[in-house]
Amino acid sequence: MSDLFPKKGHDHDRCVHSALAQAEKVCDRENARFTDMRRKVFTLIWQSHKAVTAYELLDALTAEGQRVQPPTVYRALEFLTELGLVHRIESLNAYFGCDRPDCEHLGQYFICTDCGRVAEAVNEDMSNAVRKAARSVGFTIQATTVEIKGLCHDCATH
Amino acid sequence: MSDLFPKKGHDHDRCVHSALAQAEKVCDRENARFTDMRRKVFTLIWQSHKAVTAYELLDALTAEGQRVQPPTVYRALEFLTELGLVHRIESLNAYFGCDRPDCEHLGQYFICTDCGRVAEAVNEDMSNAVRKAARSVGFTIQATTVEIKGLCHDCATH
DNA sequence: TCAGAAAATGATATATTATAACATTTCATC
DNA sequence: GATGAAATGTTATAATATATCATTTTCTGA
């Protein structure tokens, strides 16, 4: 069994750091500005293994001493999702950092209803099944939402 | 190519009628009351090929002369979704009638971003891919959300 | 280097979606 | 018909999201 969810004691700071580096690269490539606000929101999202709501981000920014209004957060989220740096989890109205912002993919999300952690998978079997099903009914895919709720291995066994 | 979305000129009243009959059977089996309010909400949902929001239902009920508040609608929706008579489309915050309330299934939803119509598929390839992916990472599925946005065949070709 | 344009953010207000809490009515059962 | 459970009514408010216009920051080209 592969470990989709992070192991205990993994070096999280390093994940965040590397995510930031990737994000910078993507922004560079797209000629998009990775402003302070966008970087802050991105970092806050990556500091959690859970999906984070816009208002949680707002509160976190406020706690950091910023005086921030909802539109500011939503704009940053819009920017980050458009670049694929962050994904929206529709069934949670919340946002989650993307591991692989550098390549096009149909992502799938496993959401543990016990511990709240989220993990992104890029499973080609699932993606292909979706693409094939769409093709078979003459449907042209623009975007997909695949969210799977249940118990992660840790929570199921403990 | 199979036709997932309804053809022009299909007998819609008959669809609604048969959905009502199915719903009654399910409620009967579950010893649940198919009250006037629930029937009204269910019927309104089935009268559309689009997903319908709670407040659209509220407006429709108001237009019918009822004086209805949000909790009433949300309660009916909760009841209907729990029995599987209606599905919630997470990416639209809206509700859609289920064709097959009588059997357990992992449904998938095709949502046309042009005409707004929604179609439910129960594609075993997709379901199996999801189940297999979950198994491979030790994840216990409780619920799945598979929503595919794009252009239906009609809209793509016209 | 600085003027002008474009992009980003600030600020205010409000729209949309959803639920908590308690009162009343309806319904099945005895 | 009395009783309790289920459903609905009613009021208030929470949670999520966006429209609009003002201001600031950044980029670009002369």
Side-chain angles (χ1 to χ4, degrees):
Chain A
M1 197 192 72
S2 70
D3 52 336
L4 191 59
F5 287 81
K7 292 257 189 231
K8 276 182 208 160
H10 77 291
D11 187 344
H12 188 52
D13 285 352
R14 213 170 139 234
C15 296
V16 177
H17 189 267
S18 121
L20 273 166
Q22 273 205 299
E24 246 147 43
K25 230 192 301 187
V26 170
C27 287
D28 233 47
R29 194 190 61 208
E30 302 292 328
N31 260 312
R33 296 188 207 155
F34 201 43
T35 61
D36 266 14
M37 183 55 68
R38 290 165 179 173
R39 175 189 303 271
K40 266 178 194 148
V41 169
F42 182 82
T43 304
L44 284 169
I45 290 172
W46 265 90
Q47 278 168 359
S48 174
H49 288 301
K50 306 182 181 181
V52 187
T53 69
Y55 280 78
E56 284 167 357
L57 292 166
L58 190 62
D59 290 348
L61 289 165
T62 303
E64 286 182 5
Q66 308 254 326
R67 199 170 300 119
V68 174
Q69 301 299 326
T72 302
V73 174
Y74 281 102
R75 282 174 190 142
L77 289 170
E78 188 188 5
F79 172 86
L80 296 170
T81 46
E82 271 180 10
L83 279 190
L85 298 171
V86 154
H87 291 297
R88 178 177 161 85
I89 309 293
E90 298 291 349
S91 61
L92 300 176
N93 297 331
Y95 299 83
F96 189 70
C98 177
D99 267 4
R100 314 159 177 76
D102 47 341
C103 68
E104 285 283 319
H105 59 273
L106 301 185
Q108 300 97 24
Y109 300 88
F110 289 95
I111 302 160
C112 181
T113 54
D114 189 50
C115 67
R117 286 186 302 171
V118 174
E120 178 176 7
V122 177
N123 178 301
E124 286 303 323
D125 282 358
M126 276 197 280
S127 305
N128 287 334
V130 168
R131 283 189 272 252
K132 190 174 156 200
R135 204 161 41 237
S136 79
V137 297
F139 193 90
T140 309
I141 296 179
Q142 289 169 343
T144 65
T145 299
V146 178
E147 296 169 8
I148 305 164
K149 284 197 182 144
L151 297 178
C152 72
H153 186 252
D154 287 0
C155 289
T157 55
H158 293 159
Chain B
M1 195 193 73
S2 70
D3 52 338
L4 192 58
F5 286 80
K7 293 257 190 232
K8 274 183 211 162
H10 76 294
D11 187 344
H12 189 51
D13 285 352
R14 210 166 143 238
C15 297
V16 176
H17 189 268
S18 122
L20 274 167
Q22 276 206 296
E24 246 148 41
K25 233 192 297 188
V26 170
C27 288
D28 233 48
R29 193 189 63 207
E30 302 291 330
N31 259 312
R33 295 190 207 153
F34 200 43
T35 62
D36 265 15
M37 184 54 69
R38 290 165 179 172
R39 174 188 304 270
K40 265 178 197 151
V41 169
F42 182 83
T43 305
L44 284 169
I45 290 172
W46 265 90
Q47 277 167 359
S48 174
H49 287 301
K50 306 183 181 181
V52 187
T53 70
Y55 280 77
E56 284 167 357
L57 292 166
L58 191 62
D59 291 346
L61 289 165
T62 303
E64 285 182 6
Q66 308 253 327
R67 197 171 301 116
V68 174
Q69 301 299 326
T72 302
V73 174
Y74 280 102
R75 283 173 189 141
L77 289 170
E78 189 188 6
F79 172 88
L80 296 170
T81 47
E82 271 179 9
L83 279 189
L85 298 172
V86 155
H87 292 296
R88 178 177 160 84
I89 308 294
E90 298 290 349
S91 61
L92 300 176
N93 297 331
Y95 299 83
F96 189 70
C98 177
D99 266 4
R100 315 157 176 77
D102 47 341
C103 67
E104 286 283 318
H105 59 271
L106 302 184
Q108 299 98 23
Y109 300 88
F110 289 94
I111 302 160
C112 180
T113 54
D114 189 48
C115 67
R117 286 186 303 170
V118 173
E120 178 176 7
V122 177
N123 179 300
E124 287 304 323
D125 283 357
M126 274 196 280
S127 305
N128 287 334
V130 169
R131 283 189 272 252
K132 189 173 157 202
R135 204 161 43 238
S136 80
V137 296
F139 193 90
T140 310
I141 295 177
Q142 289 168 344
T144 65
T145 300
V146 177
E147 295 169 7
I148 305 163
K149 285 198 181 144
L151 296 179
C152 72
H153 186 253
D154 285 0
C155 289
T157 53
H158 293 160

